[in-house]
Amino acid sequence: MIALPLLGAAVLLFGGRRTDGWGPLAATLLSWASFVVGVLVILQLRGYAGEDRALQLPLWDWVAAGNLEVSAGLLMDPLSMTFVMLITFVGSLIHVYSLGYMEHDPDKRRFFGYLNLFVAAMLLLVLADSYMLLFVGWEGVGLASYLLIGFWNHNPAYASAANKAFIVNRVGDFGMVTAMALMFATFGALDYQTVHTSAAGAEPMTLTLLGLLLLVGACAKSAQFPLQSWLGDAMAGPTPVSALIHAATMVTAGIYLVARSQFIFNETPDAQLVVAIVGTITLVWGAIVGCAKDDIKKALAASTISQIGYMMLAVGLGPIGYTFAIFHLVTHGFFKAGLFLGSGSVMHGMKDRVDMRRYGALSREMIQTWLTFAAGWIAIIGVPFMSGWWSKDLIIEAAFVGEGWRPWVFGLAALITAGITAYYMSRVFFMTFHGKARWEDDIDPHESPLVMTVPMWILALGSVALGLVLWPTGILSAWLEPVFGAEVQHEPVIPVMAIQVVIFVLMLAGVGLAWWQYGREEVPVVAPYGSFATRAARRDLFQDDVNEILLRAPGAALVATSVEADEHVVEGATTGGATSALTGVAGVVRRAQNGFVRSYALTMLVGVVAILGAVWVMQ
C-alpha cells in the first residue's frame, strides 16, 4: 500500500522530463492500486473474529541505542484501515480530477509526484505500529504539504503560505518529539502495544503531560485552536491540493493521533477535557470566520476547521465519542472533497476567480457542478438522512452527555454552531450559484470536462448516501468495536428528540437567512464595510495580529537584540580586544626591531639577566 505511491513519487520526481507524458497517469494508477491492496487487506481482516482483527507486520530493527530499541513495523487494524480506505479512495479520485485540472500546467509531472508522496506519507502515518514510525509519516506529510501548497511558488504570497504551514507545524513537532521523549522515559518503549499495556500504571501527572503534548501535535496538524492560522493561507495551492489536505489526509492526522492514543487519554480526564475544550473553541471559531469570507476556498477552509473541531470535541468526550468522531471524519472526507473539487470546477470555468461576489447564477452555466456541489452542501448543513446529518448530529447529542457545566457548554456550542454552519455554507452556495450574474465581461463560464466531473459525481453520491450505508446498518460501529469497544450509551441532559428538532429548526433558520441576504437580495460586488464583528471575522478574528504581537514581534526583537549584542558586545569584546592586544604586541615588537645594534645588545643583556635570574630562583 505504501510502496506503490512511494514508487510513483520516486519515478516522477527523479525521472525528469522523460516521464512528462505518462507520469501523471501512472501516478493515478498506482494510487488506485494502493486502494485495491487496502480492500484486499480489509477482506482478510473481516474473515477474522473481532478480537483478532489486527495484523502486525514487522519490517526491520530500526533503532538500537543504549536502552532504546525500536523496530519498524506496520499495524493493520480497523482504525488504520478505515483511514487507508479514505486516503486511497478519495485521494485517487483527486488524482483523476487533477488529470483535467492540471492538464495545461507545464510542471504537472512534478505535481503528481508530490501527490503520490503525500498519499504514501499519510499511509505510513496511519499504518505505523509505533509513535516513532508515525512521526516519520507525520514529517513526510508536512514536507509534501509544503511542496504542494507552494507548488506555484513563483508567486511570493504562495511561497509565504507554504512557509507559514511549515513553520506552524514545527510547533506541533515540538509537542510530538517531547511526547515521545517522555514516553520513552516512562515506558521504555514507543510502540503502541507496550505503551497501551503500561499506561494504566503510569503516574497521573505524567499521563496528563503526555496527553497535552500529543494534543499540541494534533492541534498543529489538524489546524485546531490556537494553531489554526496556516490552513486558510494554504488555499494558495492548486485546488486538488486543498481537497487532499482538507478531506482525506493531513488535517485528519490529529484526530487519528488522539483516537490512536485513547489508552493514554482514557487515563487522564484532565487532558481529555482540554481536548474537548480545544475542539469546542475551534468549531465555533471556524464557523464565525466562515460567515465573512468572500473567497470561496477560504470559506470552505474555515468550514474544515470548524468540522474538525466537531471531531476533536468528540474524541475529547472519551469512549462515547471516538466512533462518532471517526464516522464524521469519513463522511466529511466525502462531502468536503466534493465541495473543494466543486469550487475548483467553478474556478476552472471562471478563469481562476475566487471572489464569490463576482459569481452568481452559475447554476445555469455549470449544471453538473451545481448539482454535485448541492449534494455536499445539503450533507454538511445536516439535511435529514444526508451523510452529515447522521454523523454530526451524533456528536452534538454526545456533547449533551455528562454532569455539571460540561454538557451545557459543549452541547450548546455544538448545537448553535450547527445553525451557523447552515448559514455560512448556504451563503457560499447561494452567492456562487444563484442570484444575478456578477462576473466580468471577459468571463465565459462553462462546465468542466468529464475527467473532473466524474469524481465530483462519485463524491456527491457518497455525500448523500454514505451515512445511510454506514450507520443504521451498524457496519462502521461493528467494524471499529475491536479498537474502541462496544458503543457506550448515555442519556443526554436534554431528550434526543428535542435536540434533533432544535438542530433542524436552526438549520432551516440558517438557510433561510442566507437565502434572504444572498439568494433573494442583490449581492454587491464590493463588500460593504460591515460591522466590527464582520470585519473581525474577515481578519480571522485577528489571529495573525495576535500571533504577530505574541510570537513574531518578540521573536524578531530577540533576534535583533542578539545580533546587536553579537556585533557590538561579544564580537567587539573579542575581536576588538584581541585586535588591540595584537596591535600593542605588534607595536612593541616593531619598536624592538629598530635596526640599532646597541638596542639589540641591551635586549640580549636583559634576556641573559632574566634567564640567569630564573635559574637562580629555581635553584
Side-chain angles (χ1 to χ4, degrees):
M1 283 182 282
I2 301 169
L4 290 168
L6 191 61
L7 172 66
V11 171
L12 267 66
L13 296 179
F14 296 111
R17 292 293 178 187
R18 289 169 293 184
T19 62
D20 277 351
W22 50 269
L25 181 60
T28 306
L29 293 175
L30 286 169
S31 184
W32 279 113
S34 185
F35 169 73
V36 171
V37 175
V39 171
L40 295 176
V41 172
I42 283 187
L43 292 176
Q44 183 180 353
L45 288 178
R46 285 187 62 83
Y48 300 153
E51 62 273 15
D52 297 327
R53 284 178 183 169
L55 294 176
Q56 293 271 359
L57 180 61
L59 297 176
W60 61 80
D61 293 333
W62 188 14
V63 178
N67 295 327
L68 177 61
E69 294 184 1
V70 179
S71 298
L74 303 180
L75 171 63
M76 289 157 282
D77 69 352
L79 178 60
S80 61
M81 292 310 299
T82 301
F83 275 79
V84 165
M85 286 293 95
L86 182 66
I87 295 164
T88 54
F89 184 73
V90 176
S92 298
L93 287 177
I94 293 170
H95 274 72
V96 174
Y97 177 93
S98 301
L99 291 172
Y101 192 87
M102 300 295 288
E103 182 181 6
H104 301 295
D105 194 291
D107 286 329
K108 66 177 180 180
R109 167 193 56 84
R110 185 164 55 88
F111 179 78
F112 276 84
Y114 293 160
L115 283 186
N116 265 197
L117 178 63
F118 203 126
V119 171
M122 193 65 199
L123 289 173
L124 180 62
L125 190 157
V126 300
L127 287 170
D129 71 345
S130 69
Y131 287 95
M132 194 154 183
L133 191 57
L134 175 147
F135 189 67
V136 176
W138 190 273
E139 290 301 287
V141 171
L143 171 64
S145 68
Y146 170 76
L147 296 171
L148 285 167
I149 294 169
F151 183 73
W152 290 324
N153 57 15
H154 50 80
N155 184 327
Y158 294 0
S160 176
N163 289 336
K164 189 176 183 180
F166 190 81
I167 292 169
V168 173
N169 272 279
R170 299 292 72 76
V171 178
D173 291 352
F174 169 78
M176 283 292 296
V177 170
T178 311
M180 287 193 294
L182 180 59
M183 211 175 285
F184 177 71
T186 306
F187 307 118
L190 294 174
D191 63 281
Y192 299 147
Q193 188 173 4
T194 304
V195 176
H196 186 181
T197 53
S198 308
E203 292 291 330
M205 183 61 73
T206 301
L207 291 172
T208 300
L209 183 57
L210 201 49
L212 294 178
L213 289 169
L214 292 173
L215 178 61
V216 172
C219 285
K221 197 64 80 179
S222 289
Q224 297 292 284
F225 180 85
L227 300 175
Q228 75 277 24
S229 62
W230 65 271
L231 196 60
D233 291 357
M235 297 302 95
T239 301
V241 174
S242 307
L244 197 63
I245 290 176
H246 286 248
T249 54
M250 186 164 172
V251 294
T252 64
I255 306 302
Y256 174 80
L257 178 66
V258 178
R260 174 60 76 190
S261 306
Q262 54 163 318
F263 37 79
I264 294 173
F265 286 95
N266 287 344
E267 301 292 336
T268 168
D270 293 338
Q272 209 168 52
L273 176 61
V274 176
V275 173
I277 292 173
V278 166
T280 304
I281 293 173
T282 309
L283 70 90
V284 175
W285 188 97
I288 292 174
V289 170
C291 291
K293 293 294 184 184
D294 291 332
D295 181 321
I296 186 171
K297 289 176 68 177
K298 290 195 173 183
L300 293 178
S303 164
T304 298
I305 292 173
S306 183
Q307 295 302 307
I308 300 292
Y310 271 110
M311 300 170 207
M312 191 64 81
L313 168 62
V315 292
L317 296 174
I320 63 169
Y322 291 134
T323 302
F324 299 159
I326 301 304
F327 181 31
H328 193 51
L329 189 150
V330 172
T331 59
H332 176 265
F334 276 76
F335 58 69
K336 186 50 63 67
L339 289 168
F340 265 112
L341 296 191
S343 71
S345 180
V346 169
M347 292 167 57
H348 179 80
M350 296 289 288
K351 290 189 174 179
D352 290 330
R353 302 291 197 279
V354 294
D355 186 358
M356 293 185 292
R357 293 187 179 277
R358 285 292 186 177
Y359 291 168
L362 291 179
S363 60
R364 297 191 296 269
E365 311 295 332
M366 303 178 179
I367 295 177
Q368 294 193 65
T369 301
W370 171 56
L371 289 173
T372 54
F373 199 96
W377 166 58
I378 61 176
I380 193 172
I381 67 174
V383 170
F385 306 109
M386 300 297 105
S387 291
W389 179 78
W390 291 101
S391 56
K392 190 168 65 179
D393 281 20
L394 286 170
I395 294 176
I396 298 173
E397 292 164 15
F400 275 105
V401 174
E403 298 177 350
W405 60 269
R406 298 181 188 183
W408 298 104
V409 173
F410 296 151
L412 287 175
L415 184 71
I416 294 170
T417 304
I420 301 175
T421 303
Y423 169 75
Y424 73 77
M425 286 306 303
S426 300
R427 177 179 180 269
V428 171
F429 184 70
F430 295 139
M431 285 180 77
T432 302
F433 294 103
H434 295 276
K436 292 183 179 178
R438 302 180 296 277
W439 56 77
E440 297 94 332
D441 294 337
D442 63 329
I443 301 291
D444 180 24
H446 57 275
E447 188 56 89
S448 299
L450 200 63
V451 70
M452 292 171 64
T453 56
V454 168
M456 290 158 55
W457 277 111
I458 295 173
L459 292 169
L461 181 63
S463 302
V464 171
L466 192 61
L468 189 63
V469 171
L470 293 180
W471 198 254
T473 58
I475 292 176
L476 187 64
S477 55
W479 171 250
L480 293 173
E481 187 174 322
V483 179
F484 298 134
E487 187 180 345
V488 180
Q489 297 289 345
H490 290 287
E491 286 298 322
V493 293
I494 299 176
V496 171
M497 181 60 71
I499 296 173
Q500 292 178 343
V501 170
V502 174
I503 294 173
F504 184 70
V505 171
L506 288 174
M507 185 267 292
L508 290 179
V511 174
L513 181 59
W515 169 255
W516 184 270
Q517 292 182 328
Y518 301 100
R520 177 178 172 275
E521 298 289 338
E522 188 168 343
V523 177
V525 294
V526 177
Y529 185 65
S531 64
F532 173 78
T534 301
R535 298 196 303 275
R538 286 175 186 154
R539 292 175 62 88
D540 298 334
L541 301 182
F542 305 111
Q543 183 187 16
D544 284 340
D545 303 272
V546 172
N547 290 344
E548 170 71 19
I549 294 171
L550 296 182
L551 301 176
R552 202 207 67 78
L558 179 62
V559 170
T561 304
S562 301
V563 170
E564 289 292 321
D566 181 60
E567 288 182 351
H568 296 98
V569 179
V570 178
E571 188 174 350
T574 305
T575 306
T579 301
S580 300
L582 289 172
T583 302
V585 172
V588 172
V589 173
R590 185 175 62 250
R591 285 193 293 274
Q593 302 294 325
N594 54 19
F596 294 105
V597 175
R598 61 180 183 274
S599 178
Y600 295 151
L602 179 62
T603 304
M604 292 174 63
L605 177 62
V606 170
V608 170
V609 171
I611 292 172
L612 292 175
V615 172
W616 176 75
V617 170
M618 292 178 66
Q619 288 179 343

